[in-house]
Amino acid sequence: GFWGDFRGQPIESNWQCIMPALASPRLAPSSLRAAAEASAPLFEELRASTEVEVIGWQGKRFQVNALTSSPVTRVPLTTFPDSWPYGSADFRRSNEDDDFTFYNQGASMATHIDETSKKAIAGFYASHFQQAVQGNFSVLEIQSSWVSHYPPHLKARRVAIIGMVHSELAANKQATERTVQNLNTNPSLPYNDGAFDFITSLVSVEYLTKPEQVFREMYRVLKPGGVAIVSFTDRSFVGKAVAIWAEDLKDGVGHSQIVGNYFKFCPENSWENITSLDLSPSSRSGEPLWVVTAVKAAAPVYKTVEKTLLIRPPRKPDFAAPITESLPPPPPAEQELPSILQERLEAKFVESTLKSALPTPQRKSGWLLCHDIKNTIAVKLANTAVGTLLGNLFWKNRFLNIVGGELRVQTEASTPPLLCLPLKEIDEVLLQGKLFAAHCCTPQAFVQFWAASLAEAEEWATAIRRSVAFALSSNLPRGWDVQAMLSNNTSTRRLVHKEVLPAAATPICQRLVDHCYICKSTKDRRSFIPLRLQLVDVVRVQNGSAWIDYSNARARVRLSPGPAAQLQGSEAPVIPLVGAGIDDDNSCRPARNWGLEQMPVLTSTLQNQQLLQLLGGELDSASNEQWLFHGTSFHGVQGISDEEFRLDFAGSHRGTLYGKGIYLAECASKADEYAEPDEEGFCYMLLCRATLGKVLQCVDKSPRSDILEVCKASGYNSLCGDRWTAVHTFREFVFFDPNQVYPAFIFRYRRWNEATFCQTLRQAVESKDQDTLSRLIKVGACLTDEHPEQAVRNRLALVMGAGVSTIVELCRCLGDHRVRIRRAALLTLFQIAINMHTFSNESADLAKAVPTLIDSLSDPVPEIRRQAAQCLEKLGKCSLTAVPSLIKGLEDLDPGVRAAAAQALCKFGKQASAGLTALLHLTTDAVDDVRKAAVIAVGCIGKNGSLDKKVTTLQSCLKDSSNAVRCAAATSLGKVGGSAAIDDLAAMLTDKEVTVRTAAADALGYFGLASANVVSPLALLLKDPEQQVRLAAATSLRALGIHAAQAQIALGECLRVEKDLQVRLVSLSALPRLWGRNERAGGHAVQALLRALEDANPEIRAAAAEALSDMASLGQLMANTPQVEAAMMMRMKDGDATVNRFAQACLDHIHPKATESVQSKQAPKAVQSWRRTEGQMMKIRASINAENEK
C-alpha cells in the first residue's frame, strides 16, 4: 500500500526496469504468466465448476464465487509447523534505507493492481461486509494508500486507515480517520482493544519486517468474531520485500502459506478458520490475486511473546503403573512466573478502575427555601438567621426543578424561572447538614437551599451532582469521578479532584519511570545522581476547567497545519537558530519542523497495554500529543494541579535557556533535576499530557535569547531544545501556550542511592522475589551501561553477576522489544565476563547465558549482534557451542559483526577449524578491520587444515594496503609455521612503518633453523631508532637460540649502547642461549656480560649474573672461567641480595661441591639445557610469549 510511481513513469514501465535486477525469478510477472498459460484451460474448467463456502463475520457462512468478478478457488494450506518457523534473517531486506524517505520520494496516485483485480477484491470485500450490520460496522486498513478498493457505496460507521505517505492518505475519500505511522519501526496500532469488525491489507504484507507483532496487534484491535483479510499479487518492490517472501518460489501457494503461518502463531492458536483463496481472473491477460482470511476467536487467548517467560517444571520419575492402566499420565501444567502473574493482576486492576459507570441524570422537583447569595457577609448572616423572623428577609420559598439540562428556580411550578443555572456551568455542589449550595460560573451565581430534613438535603445534593456529572461527562475523560469533583474535598479550587490511585497502579507507572530514566546529569542537578526513582504513590488529577482549556487548545492545534503536512517534504523556512558570535555561515539553517520520526519521544516507545489504559487510552496523533515529565517542589505540584501552568512563574525555579515558557522533559531523570525533597525526603513530579503540534527543533549549544518568539512567529506550536544532539544530555520541550499542557498525574517518589539499590537487589535475590528482580535487573543493566562513574559501573556489574538468578534475568532482557534494554543487558554480561576472568571466578553460571547469546547473533539490530559476538569471545571455552553460529556470523551484512565473529573464533583455536574456509574468504573483505580479524583468526586456528592454502593467503596479505592487516598476517605466519614466507618477512624488516617492522621481527623468531639466513637483518634491527622494534628483534634472537650465534657481537654492542631497560634485559637473557651445552661461548658475549656486572642498575647486574650462572652450568665459559670467577667474587659484596644470590650460584657451578653433586644434576628450570630441536624451541617461544602477556 506504500508503492509510488517513480520518476512519473507508468507502473508497468517501472516493473520493466526493476525486474531484470531481481535475484529470484519467482517475482517476475512475465515468467509466472508464461508458466501459467500452458495449464490455463484446465484452471478455467476447474474454476467454472467450483463453489467456495467461507466463514466470515461472527462465524456466518456464505458463498463468494457469485459475488466477485473473478472465479474463486480454495488454495490448500499445508500442515502448520509446531512452532514459529522464521528467524530474524527471514525478515531482512536488500534495501534497508529509511522507509519514510523511500515511499515519500516515490509517492504518487498510482494503483498497483489491474482493473480485473480491483473488481475482484472490491467484490470480495463486499461479500464480507454484507454479513455485518450495515451502517454500524468499522473497518481498519493497514499499510493503506490513496484508495482502499472498498465497495463504492460502503456503509461503514468508521473507516480508519494507517500508512506512511500523508498525501496519499489525505486523498483517500472513503476514510474517516487517518494515521501516519511506520509499522516496521512502531508495530503498535494506535487503537483500543476490540475496536474494529474488519481489518484489511492489500498488496503490502510482504513489506512487514515485524509481522509477528503486527498480527498480534491486529488480533488485539479486532472484535471477537471479526475478520482479517490479507491480499497480495505477484508484484512487489524487491528491495523492500522481506527475504522469506522473495526466496519462496511457490508464488501464490507459498505466499499463502507464509501469511497462514502469520495467523497461526500471532498469537498462537487464537485465529480461527484460516482460509486461503485464489481470486485470479480466468483470462490470461489479468494479474493473479490471492487472499488469506482469518476470524478472531470468540474467546480471546493471549499468550506472552517471550517464550522464556513460560517454564515447565521437571517431570517426576514414572513409577511402575498397573498393567490395566491404558492412558499415560497427564503432562504437568505450565506454571507462570510471578512477573506474568503480576501483569495479569495489573490488567485486572486497570479494567476494574476504568469501568466507572456513567452517571444517569435524575429529574427532581420540589419546594425549598432558597436564597441567592452575592457576598460572604450575606452568607454568614443568612445562615445565622435561618428559621427566625430575620431569616424571612433572606430565605424565600421557591420551586426547584431539574429539567432540560438546567437547574431552575421558580416562584410557582408553572411560572417562568427566576434563575436558570445550566448544569454544564455548575462547578461545585456543597452539602452541610440541611443546607446545600450550588455554584455556577455562567451566569455567576452561588445559590443556597434549605431542606426540611437531612435526608431531603442529601437527596437533593445527590440529584444535582448526578445531573451535573452527566452533563459534564461528555467533555471529560473516561473514568473521572465528576461527583467527587463537585464535592471539592481534595483541592482549594472548584471542579478539581485529586484521586490517590490504589497501590496496584504504582508498579504500572513505575515501568514508565524506569523506562524513561537515563542516568545522566547536567548543571541543573543540585543533588546526587540517583540510581532509581522509586514511586511511592500516584495521584490522578481531575481538573475540569484545565481539561476543557487543554481540549480546546488540542483541537486548535489539530486543525492548524500540523506535522503531517511537513512529512510530505515541504520546504522548511530558514530561521536563525543561534545567537551572536557564531560564524555567518552557520547562523541560519533550515529548521526541522517535525524532527521526531528518527528519534521519537521516549515515553511513546514503551509498549505496555495496562499503562496505556491507566493513563487514559491512546494519545491524539493528529495533534502530536505526548506524555512528558515536569519536576518541581511539593507546593509547585499542588499549585499547578489546582490552577494549571502559569507563564509568569517561568524561570522562578531554574534558568530559562530557551526563554520564558513551560519546560517539560521526556526523561524522568531530567525532571528529577528540578524536583526538591520535602521534610520527609519525598520528591514530586508531574506526568503531563502535552500537545506538541508543529515542533521546531533547536540543536545549538547556545541558542539565541528570542528563540521562543521566533518559534511562535513562524507558526510553530512548541520548541524541542535538543541538548541530546548538542551536548549529549537530554531533550526538553518548551511551550509558550500553557493550555497545551495538562497536569494529569502526580508522582511521589524517593531517590535511591547506590547502597539502597544494591541492598534491594540482594534482598530480591535471596528472597527469590521474581517480580522485583525482573524489574531491577533491567534498571541495573542500563545503569551498568550509562552511569557516568566507571567505579559505580564496575560495582554494579559485580552485584549483577553475583548469582544464577540475575544471569537468567539478564538473558530474559535480551528478548525485550527495546534496543536499549537488549544493549544494556549485553554490556552487563560482557562486564561480568571480564570480572570472571579478572577474579578467576567459576563460569558455570555465566555459561547459562550462551544459548541466549547465540539467539542474539540473529538480532535485527547490528549493534546487538556485534556485542553478542564480543560477549561470547569473553566467555571463551564455555561458549564452545556458539562456534557454528559465529561461523555463520562471518557472512553477516554488517562489517562490525563479521569482525567481531572472527575475533571470537580466535578464542577457540583448532576447535574453530570448520570456519577456516570462511575466514580465508574474509581476508579479501573490503573493510580493513574485517580483514585484520580474519587474518588473526587464521593464525589462531594454527596448523589445522590446509597449511599451504593458509600460508599462500597470508603471504598475499603481507602486501595489503592496511598496515594493521600486514602486521596481523606476519604474526599469523609465525603461528602457523609458514616458513615459505621468511623472505617476504625479511623484506618487511626495512619497511618504513614501525608496526610493520615490529611484527615482522617478532614473527621471524618462530621459525628456528629456517630463520638462520635472516639473523643478520634481525641483528641490524638492534640499532633501530624505535624501542619496540629493538625489543622485538632481541626477543626473536633469544627465541632462535643456537641458530642466532652469529648475533653475539650485535647483542653485546646493544648491551653497551642501549638505554632502554627492557631491551637490555632481553638481550642479557638471550646471550646464554646462543650456544649449546659444553660449547665454548664467544668472547664478545662474555665480555659484554662482565661489563654488565658493573652497571649502576641492580636489575642489569642481577640479569648479567644470572646469565653467567646459566653459562657456567652449561659448561660454556671454558677459558673465560677464571675471569668470570673473579668477577663473581667481587659481586658477592654487592649491596643487592638478588645479585649476591646469582653470584653464589655461578660460583657453585664453577666449583661444585661433592655433597651437592646430586643436586647439580637436578638444576632448576632456569638453567636447564637449551633445546636442540625446533620443537623444543617452539615450546620455549610459547613460554616467552606467556611471560610477556603477563
Side-chain angles (χ1 to χ4, degrees):
F2 316 113
W3 294 343
D5 185 6
F6 288 98
R7 301 182 180 90
Q9 300 176 5
I11 191 68
E12 289 295 330
S13 64
N14 284 327
W15 276 107
Q16 292 173 4
C17 298
I18 295 173
M19 295 314 300
L22 296 184
S24 172
R26 181 198 64 76
L27 291 177
S30 58
S31 61
L32 290 176
R33 292 171 187 159
E37 285 177 358
S39 56
L42 175 62
F43 280 104
E44 290 175 7
E45 181 180 355
L46 179 63
R47 288 169 179 162
S49 61
T50 302
E51 290 187 358
V52 178
E53 182 184 72
V54 298
I55 299 177
W57 186 76
Q58 299 301 328
K60 294 183 179 181
R61 298 176 180 269
F62 60 98
Q63 301 288 336
V64 295
N65 65 320
L67 298 175
T68 61
S69 61
S70 297
V72 180
T73 57
R74 189 181 298 274
V75 178
L77 299 179
T78 60
T79 304
F80 291 107
D82 295 332
S83 60
W84 178 250
Y86 308 121
S88 59
D90 295 325
F91 301 109
R92 294 176 186 169
R93 304 170 295 180
S94 59
N95 183 359
E96 292 290 354
D97 294 340
D98 179 66
D99 290 334
F100 269 110
T101 304
F102 179 87
Y103 291 115
N104 278 274
Q105 285 178 349
S108 67
M109 302 303 176
T111 58
H112 307 284
I113 55 177
D114 59 7
E115 293 299 324
T116 306
S117 298
K118 292 178 186 177
K119 296 178 181 178
I121 194 62
F124 187 78
Y125 283 156
S127 66
H128 274 277
F129 294 165
Q130 287 174 3
Q131 312 307 315
V133 180
Q134 297 302 296
N136 196 34
F137 66 92
S138 54
V139 185
L140 167 65
E141 183 178 44
I142 63 173
Q143 302 167 286
S144 182
S145 183
W146 71 281
V147 60
S148 298
H149 299 291
Y150 291 150
H153 304 290
L154 181 63
K155 298 180 180 180
R157 174 178 52 85
R158 179 186 184 189
V159 179
I161 61 175
I162 184 170
M164 276 196 289
V165 183
H166 177 267
S167 59
E168 294 184 356
L169 299 183
N172 193 315
K173 298 180 180 179
Q174 290 182 310
T176 60
E177 55 186 273
R178 302 160 181 84
T179 302
V180 178
Q181 181 175 326
N182 183 1
L183 295 181
N184 288 337
T185 58
N186 182 15
S188 298
L189 296 176
Y191 308 107
N192 295 330
D193 295 354
F196 298 96
D197 297 279
F198 299 93
I199 297 180
T200 65
S201 174
L202 177 64
V203 292
S204 295
V205 67
E206 59 265 37
Y207 306 121
L208 290 176
T209 59
K210 299 178 180 179
E212 189 175 8
Q213 295 92 321
V214 172
F215 273 67
R216 288 178 183 274
E217 284 292 289
M218 291 167 56
Y219 186 87
R220 179 182 64 80
V221 303
L222 199 62
K223 295 179 181 179
V227 182
I229 304 173
V230 178
S231 55
F232 48 91
T233 66
D234 60 353
R235 290 205 272 180
S236 66
F237 282 134
V238 180
K240 287 298 183 179
V242 295
I244 187 62
W245 195 275
E247 293 174 0
D248 194 325
L249 301 180
K250 297 180 181 179
D251 294 310
V253 177
H255 295 160
S256 298
Q257 183 66 50
I258 293 174
V259 179
N261 291 340
Y262 290 173
F263 280 118
K264 174 67 176 178
F265 296 99
C266 308
E268 186 173 357
N269 297 325
S270 296
W271 294 95
E272 296 178 343
N273 303 312
I274 303 174
T275 305
S276 177
L277 301 174
D278 187 354
L279 303 184
S280 303
S282 57
S283 63
R284 301 181 182 180
S285 61
E287 292 183 349
L289 178 67
W290 294 272
V291 176
V292 181
T293 65
V295 181
K296 178 175 178 177
V301 180
Y302 289 97
K303 286 193 175 181
T304 178
V305 177
E306 296 183 71
K307 298 178 181 178
T308 55
L309 296 180
L310 289 177
I311 58 174
R312 186 181 297 277
R315 289 191 59 178
K316 297 181 179 179
D318 297 331
F319 296 97
I323 299 178
T324 58
E325 184 178 2
S326 59
L327 297 176
E334 290 184 339
Q335 295 181 350
E336 292 184 329
L337 295 174
S339 57
I340 302 302
L341 179 60
Q342 177 67 21
E343 290 184 5
R344 177 174 287 109
L345 294 176
E346 291 174 359
K348 184 177 180 181
F349 156 74
V350 171
E351 183 178 3
S352 61
T353 301
L354 296 179
K355 280 187 175 180
S356 56
L358 185 67
T360 58
Q362 183 174 351
R363 295 192 62 177
K364 187 176 178 60
S365 60
W367 291 92
L368 292 169
L369 291 176
C370 174
H371 183 51
D372 183 10
I373 305 301
K374 299 297 182 181
N375 54 69
T376 56
I377 298 178
V379 170
K380 297 179 181 179
L381 183 59
N383 293 344
T384 305
V386 66
T388 66
L389 294 176
L390 182 61
N392 295 330
L393 298 176
F394 298 95
W395 297 92
K396 305 294 182 180
N397 198 26
R398 297 288 186 253
F399 185 79
L400 191 62
N401 191 10
I402 304 176
V403 63
E406 294 179 334
L407 178 61
R408 299 177 180 176
V409 180
Q410 303 169 266
T411 56
E412 298 291 342
S414 59
T415 59
L418 298 174
L419 181 64
C420 288
L421 303 180
L423 296 178
K424 285 188 176 182
E425 301 297 332
I426 295 177
D427 56 8
E428 187 176 25
V429 179
L430 301 177
L431 174 65
Q432 184 177 3
K434 299 179 181 181
L435 181 69
F436 66 95
H439 182 272
C440 183
C441 297
T442 308
Q444 185 74 26
F446 184 70
V447 186
Q448 283 191 325
F449 304 94
W450 189 272
S453 63
L454 295 176
E456 185 181 9
E458 185 175 357
E459 182 180 350
W460 268 103
T462 302
I464 295 175
R465 285 173 181 166
R466 287 183 177 178
S467 299
V468 173
F470 179 81
L472 292 175
S473 295
S474 60
N475 297 327
L476 299 178
R478 176 190 174 194
W480 277 24
D481 191 349
V482 184
Q483 298 187 60
M485 295 166 60
L486 294 169
S487 300
N488 198 12
N489 296 324
T490 60
S491 174
T492 59
R493 304 291 294 180
R494 294 188 177 96
L495 206 60
V496 175
H497 176 59
K498 298 176 185 178
E499 176 191 6
V500 180
L501 296 182
T506 304
I508 301 177
C509 296
Q510 183 69 58
R511 285 194 178 94
L512 178 64
V513 175
D514 290 342
H515 174 73
C516 298
Y517 187 86
I518 299 201
C519 195
K520 292 181 179 293
S521 179
T522 70
K523 62 181 181 181
D524 290 329
R525 180 169 291 281
R526 299 178 181 177
S527 65
F528 67 93
I529 304 177
L531 269 65
R532 194 191 192 202
L533 307 180
Q534 178 64 32
L535 293 187
V536 178
D537 52 40
V538 179
V539 177
R540 177 161 49 190
V541 179
Q542 302 172 11
N543 189 325
S545 59
W547 175 260
I548 292 174
D549 291 341
Y550 174 75
S551 300
N552 294 335
R554 182 175 59 181
R556 183 175 63 255
V557 171
R558 188 190 304 117
L559 295 176
S560 63
Q566 301 300 331
L567 290 178
Q568 301 179 43
S570 59
E571 185 177 355
V574 178
I575 297 177
L577 296 179
V578 294
I582 308 297
D583 295 340
D584 293 338
D585 293 340
N586 297 326
S587 60
C588 294
R589 66 190 68 178
R592 286 184 278 179
N593 299 345
W594 193 236
L596 301 179
E597 268 61 24
Q598 299 298 329
M599 192 175 178
V601 177
L602 186 58
T603 53
S604 66
T605 60
L606 178 61
Q607 301 174 8
N608 186 280
Q609 192 62 32
Q610 288 76 39
L611 176 66
L612 180 65
Q613 295 179 5
L614 180 64
L615 296 183
E618 299 289 346
L619 297 172
D620 182 24
S621 59
S623 62
N624 195 14
E625 188 178 29
Q626 302 288 347
W627 288 106
L628 298 172
F629 297 96
H630 180 81
T632 182
S633 62
F634 169 76
H635 298 289
V637 164
Q638 299 303 322
I640 293 172
S641 58
D642 285 341
E643 302 182 6
E644 309 177 45
F645 284 92
R646 293 175 56 181
L647 279 176
D648 54 339
F649 285 170
S652 59
H653 193 51
R654 293 286 198 278
T656 52
L657 179 64
Y658 299 98
K660 295 181 72 64
I662 310 301
Y663 284 70
L664 303 181
E666 62 181 339
C667 295
S669 46
K670 177 59 179 176
D672 176 66
E673 293 187 341
Y674 302 102
E676 295 182 354
D678 59 12
E679 296 79 3
E680 300 179 359
F682 294 111
C683 297
Y684 301 85
M685 73 170 60
L686 291 164
L687 179 64
C688 306
R689 279 181 179 265
T691 299
L692 296 179
K694 190 178 175 184
V695 184
L696 174 65
Q697 193 168 4
C698 179
V699 298
D700 299 296
K701 294 183 179 180
S702 302
R704 53 188 295 174
S705 58
D706 61 341
I707 182 65
L708 270 187
E709 287 73 12
V710 173
C711 177
K712 185 176 181 180
S714 303
Y716 292 91
N717 305 113
S718 60
L719 171 72
C720 174
D722 193 354
R723 309 297 289 171
W724 178 276
T725 302
V727 293
H728 203 62
T729 53
F730 300 102
R731 290 193 303 181
E732 292 186 273
F733 296 87
V734 189
F735 302 84
F736 42 79
D737 182 2
N739 290 330
Q740 288 180 222
V741 182
Y742 175 74
F745 293 89
I746 300 174
F747 290 168
R748 186 165 67 110
Y749 63 93
R750 288 188 182 275
R751 293 168 174 158
W752 276 12
N753 56 21
E754 182 183 354
T756 304
F757 182 87
C758 294
Q759 181 181 4
T760 307
L761 180 61
R762 186 192 65 183
Q763 292 174 353
V765 172
E766 294 175 351
S767 62
K768 298 181 180 180
D769 186 349
Q770 191 70 31
D771 182 60
T772 302
L773 192 61
S774 63
R775 297 171 186 268
L776 292 183
I777 287 298
K778 292 181 181 179
V779 178
C782 293
L783 291 171
T784 306
D785 176 30
E786 299 169 355
H787 199 282
E789 298 181 17
Q790 180 65 44
V792 177
R793 297 200 297 269
N794 293 339
R795 289 195 294 268
L796 286 173
L798 290 174
V799 174
M800 299 279 283
V804 64
S805 57
T806 57
I807 302 297
V808 171
E809 286 298 331
L810 283 171
C811 293
R812 289 198 179 99
C813 292
L814 296 180
D816 197 278
H817 71 276
R818 294 164 289 182
V819 177
R820 175 189 173 219
I821 298 296
R822 301 202 301 275
R823 175 180 179 273
L826 278 172
L827 290 175
T828 303
L829 288 171
F830 183 81
Q831 187 63 43
I832 292 173
I834 293 177
N835 295 341
M836 177 190 71
H837 292 292
T838 303
F839 300 102
S840 302
N841 293 336
E842 295 293 331
S843 60
D845 292 347
L846 200 55
K848 297 180 182 297
V850 172
T852 310
L853 290 172
I854 293 176
D855 293 339
S856 296
L857 290 175
S858 58
D859 193 276
V861 180
E863 183 184 7
I864 301 299
R865 302 198 298 273
R866 182 170 63 253
Q867 291 176 352
Q870 293 172 350
C871 195
L872 288 168
E873 176 191 1
K874 287 298 178 183
L875 291 179
K877 298 297 182 182
C878 67
S879 59
L880 188 61
T881 55
V883 169
S885 300
L886 289 171
I887 294 176
K888 186 178 179 181
L890 298 176
E891 303 175 358
D892 197 277
L893 297 177
D894 185 77
V897 179
R898 298 198 298 272
Q903 292 173 1
L905 289 173
C906 295
K907 293 293 184 179
F908 303 104
K910 63 181 181 180
Q911 293 169 319
S913 57
L916 180 60
T917 303
L919 288 170
L920 292 176
H921 178 71
L922 279 188
T923 57
T924 59
D925 195 276
V927 181
D928 294 350
D929 290 340
V930 178
R931 297 199 305 275
K932 176 184 175 183
V935 168
I936 295 174
V938 170
C940 292
I941 292 178
K943 298 183 179 182
N944 295 295
S946 176
L947 181 61
D948 293 338
K949 188 175 182 180
K950 286 193 291 185
V951 172
T952 303
T953 303
L954 293 175
Q955 276 186 282
S956 64
C957 293
L958 292 177
K959 302 177 182 179
D960 196 275
S961 59
S962 171
N963 292 328
V965 177
R966 297 170 64 195
C967 295
T971 304
S972 295
L973 279 169
K975 292 181 179 180
V976 302
S979 57
I982 288 180
D983 293 338
D984 295 333
L985 291 172
M988 293 172 62
L989 295 177
T990 57
D991 195 276
K992 62 180 181 179
E993 292 292 333
V994 176
T995 55
V996 175
R997 298 199 303 272
T998 303
D1002 186 71
L1004 287 171
Y1006 285 91
F1007 297 110
L1009 180 60
S1011 298
N1013 295 332
V1014 296
V1015 171
S1016 297
L1018 281 175
L1020 289 177
L1021 285 185
L1022 293 175
K1023 299 179 181 180
D1024 195 275
E1026 298 295 333
Q1027 181 268 346
Q1028 58 185 8
V1029 178
R1030 300 195 302 272
L1031 180 62
T1035 303
S1036 292
L1037 290 172
R1038 180 178 64 177
L1040 292 176
I1042 59 176
H1043 306 300
Q1046 56 182 312
Q1048 61 168 318
I1049 298 177
L1051 288 170
E1053 184 66 15
C1054 178
L1055 282 176
R1056 187 178 68 83
V1057 300
E1058 180 63 51
K1059 297 182 179 180
D1060 185 78
L1061 175 62
Q1062 192 173 4
V1063 177
R1064 298 182 69 190
L1065 291 175
V1066 174
S1067 300
L1068 285 169
S1069 63
L1071 284 173
R1073 306 187 183 195
L1074 300 183
W1075 300 275
R1077 177 179 288 276
N1078 298 323
E1079 292 183 6
R1080 181 178 178 179
H1084 291 285
V1086 174
Q1087 295 302 319
L1089 292 174
L1090 290 175
R1091 284 196 301 270
L1093 285 176
E1094 304 296 332
D1095 197 273
N1097 192 320
E1099 292 186 50
I1100 297 297
R1101 298 198 302 273
E1106 182 183 10
L1108 289 170
S1109 176
D1110 293 345
M1111 296 176 72
S1113 67
L1114 297 174
Q1116 297 174 346
L1117 295 178
M1118 296 186 177
N1120 298 311
T1121 301
Q1123 190 177 4
V1124 172
E1125 181 180 6
M1128 289 301 172
M1129 293 296 293
M1130 294 293 297
R1131 287 302 102 197
M1132 290 296 296
K1133 302 178 182 179
D1134 196 282
D1136 187 79
T1138 305
V1139 177
N1140 295 338
R1141 179 164 56 83
F1142 285 118
Q1144 183 61 53
C1146 183
L1147 292 174
D1148 292 342
H1149 290 309
I1150 294 174
H1151 300 290
K1153 299 179 181 179
T1155 56
E1156 298 177 355
S1157 60
V1158 178
Q1159 297 179 5
S1160 64
K1161 295 180 182 180
Q1162 301 176 354
K1165 293 182 180 180
V1167 296
Q1168 287 292 329
S1169 175
W1170 308 115
R1171 70 278 173 275
R1172 297 296 184 92
T1173 65
E1174 293 189 23
Q1176 293 173 330
M1177 179 166 42
M1178 299 304 290
K1179 292 181 180 179
I1180 291 180
R1181 178 64 178 175
S1183 66
I1184 294 173
N1185 289 339
E1187 293 176 1
N1188 292 337
E1189 290 177 0
K1190 290 182 180 179

